[in-house]
Amino acid sequence: MAEHRETDAGRLGSASFRRAFGVDYAYLSGSMYRGIASKELVVAMGRAGCLGFLGAAGLNPARVTDDIAHIRRHLAPRQPFGVNLLCDLQHPARETAVVEMLLAHGVRVVEASAFIKVTPALVLFHLSGLRSRPDGGTARDTRIVAKVSRPEVARAFMQPAPQEMVAQLVAEGRVTREQAELARGVPVAQDLTVEADSGGHTDRGVSTVLLPSLQSLRKRMTREFEYTDEIRLGLAGGIGTPHAVAAAFAMGADFVMTGSINQCTVEAGISDAVKDRLQTIDVQDTDYCPAGDMFEIGALVQVLKKGVLFPARANRLHTLYKTYDSWEEIPQGTRRQIQDTYFKRSVDEVWRETCEHLRKTGRESEIERAERSPKRHMALIFRWYYGYTSRLSFLDTDLDRANVQIHTGPALGAFNQWARGTPLESWRNRHPDRMAMELMREASSILLECGGTSA
């Protein structure tokens, strides 16, 4: 019976997706920054016949290179894996350098996240894998799985690569004329993950609205550009129980991607203290606040609120930023409270640490800009708080419990409730590959009971 259920689970989603990526299941584990989606997590997923993405964002190139080498040593040549590629609009040269490094190390699949448009670096990765098939079609030896939560961004990925970017890459000798010609007939990304309300960066999308909308867009784009190969749409955000997985496939998702539930596993690269907290949360234990990397515009992240003060404090800092034009304008009592309870050090110490970080990362111009603009100076001081609180989640001590920043979503709370009373209740028994198998098997059973079918 168990073998039969496993076979049914392997039929869920798109067969062409499974063939294209060499996986047994249409199930992905998404990247989580700074190695929370660790090399061990990626290896576990690959060995189970699923695709996992390394959380490369926020790691230095040497660490990413070492992690890729580890993954290659522990996976068979045909076992799949991918690496996160984070958008860097302010520093496009760094984004291009990351792509060149990934290509040099033979990485053939990337998860493109936080992109609001197609960039030259993405086009370089895309074109580098194009070649003609014997049947006249176009083979893709490199693949982009684009995370999208807005139709206009999805449209950009569903279109062929912008010709001006392609022409520039040809002129620079970075891609061939044949690859440039092939690019006219295929989308930048054949696989898009439709991201509903999720942990971390979020547009707070609703899956039952987003997925059908982008499925309609896919039909229009396929007709407009006369694609011969299908564009595949997966679903992420809120995927934490078998019923959620079953619902995604019932809506016609070609694959599913999990995120928050994987950060509370043995393999996740965060501290045990954080995992102890996460295994107790419920669906209502998260909140929204401005993202540190997009602090000025107020873009949102979803974070843990149970037992911490970080989301309330982060929202307060953003309100102060909008209200005042400089740190000095903020009332003295408020400034003292921020230094004593938020920063745990003086604002002068915060600024020194900020300057050291900017110099180490080659961004001295940011220091000069802040010295000319008191408002920018205040923004960088407040951004420091995000870096400090994020680092706390990687420590093994409860050094500053109130201020810890933990990106997570309600899907983990739903998983915790589903796992209650089972061996999976403790995170020390949770492994992402075993969780994937349980979710897919139970989802296939639910769909069979409902008389549903999978692609």
Side-chain angles (χ1 to χ4, degrees):
M1 182 65 177
E3 183 179 347
H4 176 67
R5 290 171 64 209
E6 189 164 331
T7 301
D8 290 336
R11 295 194 183 109
L12 294 178
S14 166
S16 71
F17 176 88
R18 297 192 297 272
R19 287 193 301 270
F21 288 90
V23 294
D24 297 323
Y25 302 93
Y27 183 108
L28 290 69
S29 64
S31 67
M32 294 174 284
Y33 79 134
R34 292 187 64 186
I36 294 177
S38 67
K39 57 184 183 292
E40 292 85 4
L41 194 156
V42 173
V43 168
M45 293 297 289
R47 286 177 171 174
C50 300
L51 178 62
F53 289 98
L54 177 68
L59 301 180
N60 64 57
R63 164 72 183 277
V64 175
T65 298
D66 289 345
D67 284 359
I68 292 171
H70 173 95
I71 293 167
R72 286 199 180 284
R73 285 196 303 272
H74 290 83
L75 287 181
R78 292 188 177 278
Q79 289 176 323
F81 76 96
V83 178
N84 175 248
L85 176 62
L86 185 68
C87 180
D88 195 345
L89 285 178
Q90 290 187 328
H91 304 91
R94 286 201 309 210
E95 188 181 297
T96 299
V98 171
V99 164
E100 290 173 338
M101 181 266 289
L102 295 178
L103 289 171
H105 287 88
V107 173
R108 293 293 175 257
V109 184
V110 297
E111 176 201 55
S113 58
F115 284 84
I116 59 174
K117 63 181 182 180
V118 172
T119 64
L122 276 174
V123 174
L124 172 61
F125 188 86
H126 163 51
L127 265 65
S128 295
L130 297 184
R131 57 182 174 81
S132 296
R133 292 199 307 244
D135 64 2
T138 301
R140 308 173 74 113
D141 293 333
T142 55
R143 292 187 175 274
I144 296 169
V145 180
K147 293 177 82 170
V148 298
S149 55
R150 301 172 67 92
E152 70 272 20
V153 179
R155 178 184 291 273
F157 278 104
M158 290 182 188
Q159 292 177 337
Q163 283 302 300
E164 64 275 14
M165 292 185 188
V166 175
Q168 183 63 36
L169 290 170
V170 171
E172 293 170 358
R174 308 179 80 156
V175 300
T176 67
R177 294 191 181 277
E178 180 189 14
Q179 289 169 327
E181 188 60 34
L182 292 172
R184 294 177 180 272
V186 294
V188 172
Q190 189 177 356
D191 301 277
L192 290 82
T193 303
V194 181
E195 188 173 23
D197 193 26
S198 63
H201 291 77
T202 179
D203 282 331
R204 301 173 71 172
V206 178
S207 61
T208 51
V209 174
L210 268 178
L211 183 59
S213 173
L214 296 192
Q215 287 169 333
S216 296
L217 175 63
R218 170 176 61 184
K219 288 182 181 178
R220 296 195 299 272
M221 300 295 282
T222 299
R223 285 196 303 265
E224 179 179 347
F225 294 101
E226 300 179 342
Y227 294 139
T228 55
D229 292 334
E230 64 178 323
I231 294 173
R232 295 175 291 251
L233 298 176
L235 188 61
I239 307 293
T241 64
H243 283 85
V245 174
F249 287 123
M251 285 197 295
D254 293 309
F255 58 91
V256 293
M257 176 184 282
T258 55
S260 295
I261 65 171
N262 300 315
Q263 70 184 137
C264 195
T265 61
V266 172
E267 288 80 3
I270 53 173
S271 70
D272 289 357
V274 168
K275 295 175 189 179
D276 288 339
R277 289 191 188 191
L278 289 175
Q279 76 174 18
T280 69
I281 72 169
D282 210 328
V283 295
Q284 74 275 14
D285 291 329
T286 62
D287 203 353
Y288 302 93
C289 64
D293 56 345
M294 293 181 277
F295 178 79
E296 292 89 328
I297 64 174
L300 295 176
V301 289
Q302 189 165 193
V303 296
L304 178 70
K305 74 174 178 180
K306 181 182 179 181
V308 299
L309 296 175
F310 168 77
R313 290 176 171 179
N315 279 305
R316 188 184 187 201
L317 290 180
H318 192 254
T319 299
L320 292 170
Y321 173 77
K322 291 190 296 182
T323 305
Y324 298 99
D325 289 325
S326 71
W327 167 257
E328 289 72 22
E329 284 186 14
I330 298 173
Q332 184 175 359
T334 301
R335 282 185 281 148
R336 186 182 305 113
Q337 181 189 39
I338 291 170
Q339 292 174 94
D340 291 346
T341 62
Y342 294 28
F343 297 167
K344 301 295 181 77
R345 66 204 71 194
S346 72
V347 72
D348 291 335
E349 290 177 282
V350 168
W351 181 239
R352 279 197 298 273
E353 289 185 26
T354 299
C355 290
E356 288 174 9
H357 174 70
L358 292 171
R359 291 189 184 100
K360 284 180 181 177
T361 54
R363 292 180 285 170
E364 290 88 349
S365 61
E366 288 288 318
I367 302 173
E368 298 171 5
R369 180 183 168 196
E371 289 172 345
R372 295 192 302 269
S373 169
K375 186 123 182 150
R376 179 61 179 168
H377 180 267
M378 178 171 55
L380 290 179
I381 289 170
F382 289 167
R383 278 183 175 229
W384 175 92
Y385 177 68
Y386 284 83
Y388 164 68
T389 55
S390 178
R391 289 191 295 274
L392 291 173
S393 66
F394 295 90
L395 301 176
D396 288 323
T397 66
D398 289 332
L399 178 67
D400 188 356
R401 288 179 61 89
N403 281 311
V404 67
Q405 177 187 174
I406 304 170
H407 292 190
T408 195
L412 178 55
F415 181 90
N416 288 339
Q417 306 322 310
W418 177 69
R420 184 172 291 169
T422 76
L424 291 176
E425 183 169 357
S426 169
W427 68 261
R428 289 171 174 81
N429 295 324
R430 297 182 189 180
H431 300 276
D433 52 328
R434 297 177 191 172
M435 290 160 55
M437 294 303 99
E438 287 300 314
L439 291 174
M440 292 289 279
R441 289 168 187 159
E442 291 298 322
S444 67
S445 295
I446 292 167
L447 289 170
L448 286 171
E449 289 171 6
C450 295
T453 57
S454 62

